[in-house]
Protein backbone atom coordinates (compact mmCIF):
# COMPACT_ATOMS: atom_id res chain seq x y z
CA UNK A 1 0.00 0.00 0.00
CA UNK A 2 1.22 3.50 -0.88
CA UNK A 3 -1.21 5.63 1.02
CA UNK A 4 -1.96 9.16 2.18
CA UNK A 5 -4.33 9.43 5.16
CA UNK A 6 -6.43 12.58 5.04
CA UNK A 7 -8.67 13.95 7.76
CA UNK A 8 -9.02 16.77 10.27
CA UNK A 9 -7.01 16.92 13.50
CA UNK A 10 -8.52 14.28 15.77
CA UNK A 11 -10.22 12.32 12.99
CA UNK A 12 -8.25 9.21 13.91
CA UNK A 13 -5.50 9.15 11.28
CA UNK A 14 -2.86 8.09 13.80
CA UNK A 15 -5.16 5.54 15.43
CA UNK A 16 -5.99 3.84 12.12
CA UNK A 17 -2.39 4.12 10.82
CA UNK A 18 -1.11 2.26 13.87
CA UNK A 19 -3.59 -0.55 13.24
CA UNK A 20 -2.46 -0.79 9.61
CA UNK A 21 1.17 -1.00 10.78
CA UNK A 22 0.27 -3.76 13.25
CA UNK A 23 -1.60 -5.83 10.69
CA UNK A 24 0.38 -5.26 7.49
CA UNK A 25 3.80 -4.05 8.66
CA UNK A 26 3.75 -1.07 6.28
CA UNK A 27 5.70 1.84 7.82
CA UNK A 28 3.75 4.87 9.11
CA UNK A 29 5.30 8.23 8.35
CA UNK A 30 3.67 10.80 10.64
CA UNK A 31 5.16 14.26 10.14
CA UNK A 32 3.64 15.30 13.47
CA UNK A 33 5.45 12.43 15.26
CA UNK A 34 8.72 13.18 13.44
CA UNK A 35 8.46 16.86 14.39
CA UNK A 36 7.61 16.07 18.02
CA UNK A 37 10.66 13.77 18.17
CA UNK A 38 12.84 16.62 16.86
CA UNK A 39 11.32 18.98 19.45
CA UNK A 40 12.02 16.47 22.24
CA UNK A 41 15.59 16.00 21.03
CA UNK A 42 16.11 19.79 21.02
CA UNK A 43 17.61 19.83 17.49
CA UNK A 44 17.70 23.14 15.52
CA UNK A 45 14.89 21.76 13.32
CA UNK A 46 12.90 20.90 16.46
CA UNK A 47 13.38 24.38 17.90
CA UNK A 48 12.13 25.98 14.68
CA UNK A 49 9.17 23.58 14.45
CA UNK A 50 8.07 24.14 18.06
CA UNK A 51 7.48 27.83 17.40
CA UNK A 52 4.77 26.97 14.82
CA UNK A 53 3.36 23.85 16.48
CA UNK A 54 2.68 25.69 19.75
CA UNK A 55 0.58 28.19 17.80
CA UNK A 56 -1.28 25.49 15.86
CA UNK A 57 0.17 26.68 12.56
CA UNK A 58 1.86 24.64 9.86
CA UNK A 59 5.62 24.26 10.10
CA UNK A 60 7.25 25.75 6.96
CA UNK A 61 7.28 23.51 3.89
CA UNK A 62 11.08 23.78 3.64
CA UNK A 63 11.44 22.02 7.00
CA UNK A 64 8.85 19.30 6.42
CA UNK A 65 9.62 18.39 2.81
CA UNK A 66 13.28 17.53 3.43
CA UNK A 67 12.30 15.43 6.43
CA UNK A 68 9.73 13.41 4.47
CA UNK A 69 12.03 12.88 1.50
CA UNK A 70 14.78 11.51 3.75
CA UNK A 71 12.29 9.15 5.42
CA UNK A 72 10.82 7.89 2.13
CA UNK A 73 14.32 7.05 0.90
CA UNK A 74 14.83 4.56 3.73
CA UNK A 75 14.75 0.92 2.68
CA UNK A 76 11.60 -0.08 4.57
CA UNK A 77 9.48 2.23 2.37
CA UNK A 78 10.23 0.10 -0.69
CA UNK A 79 7.43 -2.22 0.45
CA UNK A 80 5.00 0.71 0.82
CA UNK A 81 4.25 3.59 3.20
CA UNK A 82 1.42 5.26 5.08
CA UNK A 83 1.70 9.05 5.11
CA UNK A 84 -0.14 10.42 8.15
CA UNK A 85 -0.51 14.21 8.46
CA UNK A 86 1.36 14.86 5.22
CA UNK A 87 0.75 16.53 2.80
CA UNK A 88 -1.00 19.48 4.50
CA UNK A 89 -1.27 21.95 1.60
CA UNK A 90 -1.18 21.97 -2.19
CA UNK A 91 2.52 22.84 -2.39
CA UNK A 92 3.38 19.81 -0.25
CA UNK A 93 1.10 17.57 -2.35
CA UNK A 94 2.69 18.70 -5.63
CA UNK A 95 6.21 18.29 -4.31
CA UNK A 96 5.32 14.85 -2.95
CA UNK A 97 4.00 13.76 -6.34
CA UNK A 98 7.24 14.81 -8.04
CA UNK A 99 9.34 13.12 -5.37
CA UNK A 100 7.41 9.85 -5.58
CA UNK A 101 7.44 9.78 -9.38
CA UNK A 102 11.24 10.21 -9.35
CA UNK A 103 11.49 7.33 -6.84
CA UNK A 104 9.12 5.18 -8.86
CA UNK A 105 6.72 4.70 -5.95
CA UNK A 106 3.67 6.86 -6.75
CA UNK A 107 0.65 6.91 -4.46
CA UNK A 108 -2.06 4.31 -4.91
CA UNK A 109 -4.73 5.85 -2.61
CA UNK A 110 -5.66 8.89 -0.56
CA UNK A 111 -8.07 7.81 2.16
CA UNK A 112 -10.08 10.38 4.03
CA UNK A 113 -11.33 9.65 7.57
CA UNK A 114 -14.43 11.81 8.05
CA UNK A 115 -15.64 12.97 11.47
CA UNK A 116 -18.20 15.72 12.15
CA UNK A 117 -16.51 18.94 13.18
CA UNK A 118 -18.30 19.11 16.54
CA UNK A 119 -16.79 15.80 17.72
CA UNK A 120 -13.17 16.79 17.14
CA UNK A 121 -12.65 19.11 20.14
CA UNK A 122 -13.54 16.38 22.67
CA UNK A 123 -11.35 13.84 20.91
CA UNK A 124 -8.37 16.16 21.06
CA UNK A 125 -8.77 17.56 24.57
CA UNK A 126 -9.32 13.98 25.81
CA UNK A 127 -6.34 12.40 24.03
CA UNK A 128 -3.57 10.84 26.09
CA UNK A 129 -0.56 9.07 24.57
CA UNK A 130 1.95 6.59 26.02
CA UNK A 131 5.48 8.02 26.25
CA UNK A 132 6.98 4.58 25.85
CA UNK A 133 4.98 2.79 23.12
CA UNK A 134 2.84 5.54 21.51
CA UNK A 135 -0.49 3.81 22.23
CA UNK A 136 -3.31 6.36 22.21
CA UNK A 137 -6.20 6.67 24.69
CA UNK A 138 -9.03 9.07 25.25
CA UNK A 139 -10.30 9.95 28.69
CA UNK A 140 -13.86 10.29 27.31
CA UNK A 141 -14.04 7.41 24.81
CA UNK A 142 -11.31 4.85 25.51
CA UNK A 143 -9.80 5.52 28.91
CA UNK A 144 -6.88 3.45 30.19
CA UNK A 145 -7.73 1.00 33.01
CA UNK A 146 -5.54 2.99 35.41
CA UNK A 147 -5.40 6.77 35.08
CA UNK A 148 -2.15 8.01 33.52
CA UNK A 149 -0.79 4.50 32.87
CA UNK A 150 -0.62 2.58 29.59
CA UNK A 151 -2.61 -0.70 29.54
CA UNK A 152 -0.17 -2.25 27.09
CA UNK A 153 3.25 -1.48 28.61
CA UNK A 154 2.67 0.37 31.92
CA UNK A 155 4.31 3.47 30.38
CA UNK A 156 3.41 6.98 31.51
CA UNK A 157 0.67 8.78 29.55
CA UNK A 158 1.07 12.40 28.47
CA UNK A 159 -1.07 15.12 26.91
CA UNK A 160 0.25 16.81 23.76
CA UNK A 161 1.25 20.48 24.15
CA UNK A 162 -0.96 21.48 21.21
CA UNK A 163 -4.08 19.75 22.59
CA UNK A 164 -5.24 22.90 24.40
CA UNK A 165 -8.58 24.39 23.40
CA UNK A 166 -7.17 27.61 21.88
CA UNK A 167 -4.50 25.78 19.87
CA UNK A 168 -7.00 23.16 18.72
CA UNK A 169 -9.27 25.92 17.37
CA UNK A 170 -6.37 27.30 15.35
CA UNK A 171 -5.41 23.82 14.04
CA UNK A 172 -8.98 23.25 12.87
CA UNK A 173 -9.00 26.62 11.10
CA UNK A 174 -5.68 25.85 9.41
CA UNK A 175 -7.04 22.45 8.38
CA UNK A 176 -10.13 23.99 6.75
CA UNK A 177 -8.16 26.66 4.92
CA UNK A 178 -5.10 24.71 3.77
CA UNK A 179 -5.57 20.94 4.05
CA UNK A 180 -9.25 20.28 3.24
CA UNK A 181 -8.72 21.42 -0.40
CA UNK A 182 -6.47 18.35 -0.89
CA UNK A 183 -9.63 16.23 -1.17
CA UNK A 184 -10.24 17.97 -4.45
CA UNK A 185 -6.60 17.64 -5.49
CA UNK A 186 -6.60 13.84 -5.06
CA UNK A 187 -10.13 13.48 -6.33
CA UNK A 188 -9.00 14.94 -9.67
CA UNK A 189 -6.33 12.23 -9.76
CA UNK A 190 -9.03 9.61 -9.18
CA UNK A 191 -7.45 8.07 -6.06
CA UNK A 192 -9.68 9.39 -3.25
CA UNK A 193 -11.55 7.01 -0.96
CA UNK A 194 -13.33 7.84 2.25
CA UNK A 195 -14.71 6.22 5.39
CA UNK A 196 -16.77 7.56 8.23
CA UNK A 197 -14.52 7.89 11.28
CA UNK A 198 -17.37 7.85 13.80
CA UNK A 199 -18.07 4.84 16.00
CA UNK A 200 -16.05 1.85 17.15
CA UNK A 201 -12.31 1.98 16.26
CA UNK A 202 -12.16 -1.68 15.14
CA UNK A 203 -15.25 -1.31 12.97
CA UNK A 204 -13.74 1.77 11.32
CA UNK A 205 -10.55 -0.24 10.75
CA UNK A 206 -12.55 -2.96 8.96
CA UNK A 207 -14.04 -0.31 6.69
CA UNK A 208 -10.60 1.17 6.04
CA UNK A 209 -9.23 -2.23 4.97
CA UNK A 210 -12.25 -2.86 2.77
CA UNK A 211 -11.96 0.52 1.03
CA UNK A 212 -8.27 -0.13 0.40
CA UNK A 213 -8.96 -3.61 -0.96
CA UNK A 214 -6.93 -5.28 1.82
CA UNK A 215 -7.90 -8.53 3.51
P1 LIG B 1 -0.20 16.17 13.71
O1 LIG B 1 0.53 15.43 14.74
O2 LIG B 1 -0.28 15.62 12.34
O3 LIG B 1 -1.66 16.45 14.27
P2 LIG B 1 -3.09 16.62 13.55
O4 LIG B 1 -3.16 16.59 12.09
O5 LIG B 1 -3.60 17.85 14.18
O6 LIG B 1 -3.83 15.34 13.85
P3 LIG B 1 -3.88 14.60 15.19
O7 LIG B 1 -2.64 13.78 15.37
O8 LIG B 1 -4.22 15.57 16.28
O9 LIG B 1 -5.17 13.67 14.97
P4 LIG B 1 -5.32 12.21 14.38
O10 LIG B 1 -6.20 12.29 13.18
O11 LIG B 1 -4.01 11.52 14.21
O12 LIG B 1 -6.17 11.56 15.53
P5 LIG B 1 -5.78 10.41 16.60
O13 LIG B 1 -5.72 9.09 15.93
O14 LIG B 1 -4.62 10.84 17.44
O15 LIG B 1 0.36 17.67 13.59
C1 LIG B 1 0.66 18.43 14.73
C2 LIG B 1 1.34 19.72 14.30
O16 LIG B 1 2.60 19.43 13.64
C3 LIG B 1 0.58 20.59 13.27
O17 LIG B 1 -0.35 21.47 13.90
C4 LIG B 1 1.73 21.35 12.58
O18 LIG B 1 2.17 22.41 13.37
C5 LIG B 1 2.83 20.29 12.53
N1 LIG B 1 2.79 19.49 11.30
C6 LIG B 1 2.56 18.15 11.19
N2 LIG B 1 2.61 17.75 9.92
C7 LIG B 1 2.90 18.86 9.18
C8 LIG B 1 3.06 19.10 7.79
N3 LIG B 1 2.94 18.10 6.89
N4 LIG B 1 3.32 20.36 7.38
C9 LIG B 1 3.45 21.38 8.26
N5 LIG B 1 3.28 21.22 9.60
C10 LIG B 1 3.01 19.97 10.05
O19 LIG B 1 -7.10 10.44 17.52
C11 LIG B 1 -7.42 11.57 18.32
C12 LIG B 1 -8.11 11.13 19.61
O20 LIG B 1 -9.38 10.55 19.28
C13 LIG B 1 -7.35 10.06 20.41
O21 LIG B 1 -7.57 10.28 21.79
C14 LIG B 1 -8.01 8.75 19.99
O22 LIG B 1 -7.92 7.77 21.01
C15 LIG B 1 -9.45 9.22 19.76
N6 LIG B 1 -10.16 8.41 18.75
C16 LIG B 1 -9.67 7.89 17.59
N7 LIG B 1 -10.64 7.22 16.93
C17 LIG B 1 -11.77 7.34 17.68
C18 LIG B 1 -13.10 6.86 17.53
N8 LIG B 1 -13.47 6.13 16.48
N9 LIG B 1 -14.00 7.16 18.50
C19 LIG B 1 -13.64 7.89 19.58
N10 LIG B 1 -12.39 8.37 19.78
C20 LIG B 1 -11.46 8.09 18.84
MG1 LIG C 1 -1.99 12.07 14.54
Amino acid sequence: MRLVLLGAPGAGKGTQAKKLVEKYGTPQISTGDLLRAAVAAGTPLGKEAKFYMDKGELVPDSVVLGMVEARLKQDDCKKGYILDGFPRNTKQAETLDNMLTAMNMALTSALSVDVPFDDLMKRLTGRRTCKACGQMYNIYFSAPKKEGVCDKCNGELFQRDDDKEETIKKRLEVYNAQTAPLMDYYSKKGIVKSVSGTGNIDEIFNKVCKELGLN
Side-chain angles (χ1 to χ4, degrees):
M1 102 184 74
R2 297 198 294 267
L3 172 68
V4 163
L5 281 177
L6 298 170
K13 303 179 295 295
T15 302
Q16 295 300 325
K18 283 192 167 50
K19 292 184 77 68
L20 287 168
V21 174
E22 248 171 55
K23 184 158 179 196
Y24 300 103
T26 310
Q28 170 196 13
I29 304 176
S30 158
T31 41
D33 288 349
L34 291 173
L35 290 167
R36 280 184 289 279
V39 172
T43 63
L45 186 150
K47 284 183 184 139
E48 185 181 356
K50 185 171 167 39
F51 174 79
Y52 298 95
M53 294 168 86
D54 284 350
K55 293 196 292 186
E57 289 174 6
L58 293 185
V59 173
D61 294 340
S62 55
V63 173
V64 177
L65 287 166
M67 204 176 71
V68 172
E69 184 167 23
R71 181 64 189 87
L72 281 167
K73 281 185 173 156
Q74 288 176 20
D75 263 358
D76 60 341
C77 294
K78 290 203 173 98
K79 63 180 176 191
Y81 52 81
I82 302 162
L83 286 164
D84 159 11
F86 178 91
R88 288 285 241 266
N89 58 30
T90 310
K91 166 86 168 95
Q92 290 184 9
E94 287 168 354
T95 312
L96 175 69
D97 278 343
N98 294 335
M99 221 185 262
L100 292 173
T101 305
M103 291 190 234
N104 207 13
M105 44 197 244
L107 283 170
T108 47
S109 317
L111 179 81
S112 164
V113 181
D114 302 331
V115 171
F117 212 70
D118 289 349
D119 297 350
L120 297 170
M121 183 60 78
K122 208 164 178 185
R123 284 199 182 187
L124 291 169
T125 51
R127 171 166 52 195
R128 301 292 182 270
T129 310
C130 176
K131 266 187 188 163
C133 75
Q135 176 65 36
M136 257 159 335
Y137 297 89
N138 193 290
I139 57 168
Y140 304 114
F141 306 113
S142 52
K145 290 193 183 83
K146 189 172 166 203
E147 195 186 323
V149 180
C150 178
D151 292 350
K152 284 198 171 166
C153 77
N154 279 329
E156 187 190 337
L157 304 186
F158 74 99
Q159 183 169 23
R160 263 170 52 176
D161 285 344
D162 60 350
D163 279 345
K164 298 185 190 93
E165 205 167 316
E166 273 318 298
T167 320
I168 293 170
K169 277 188 191 149
K170 180 68 187 173
R171 284 161 59 202
L172 293 172
E173 265 172 47
V174 168
Y175 171 79
N176 276 336
Q178 300 194 46
T179 311
L182 292 183
M183 279 297 283
D184 218 34
Y185 178 89
Y186 287 116
S187 168
K188 284 185 182 135
K189 294 183 181 291
I191 59 167
V192 166
K193 301 180 164 101
S194 63
V195 294
S196 159
T198 306
N200 177 284
I201 290 173
D202 290 332
E203 283 168 15
I204 297 167
F205 183 61
N206 288 338
K207 288 189 286 181
V208 166
C209 294
K210 202 170 159 208
E211 275 299 314
L212 295 175
L214 303 166
N215 47 42

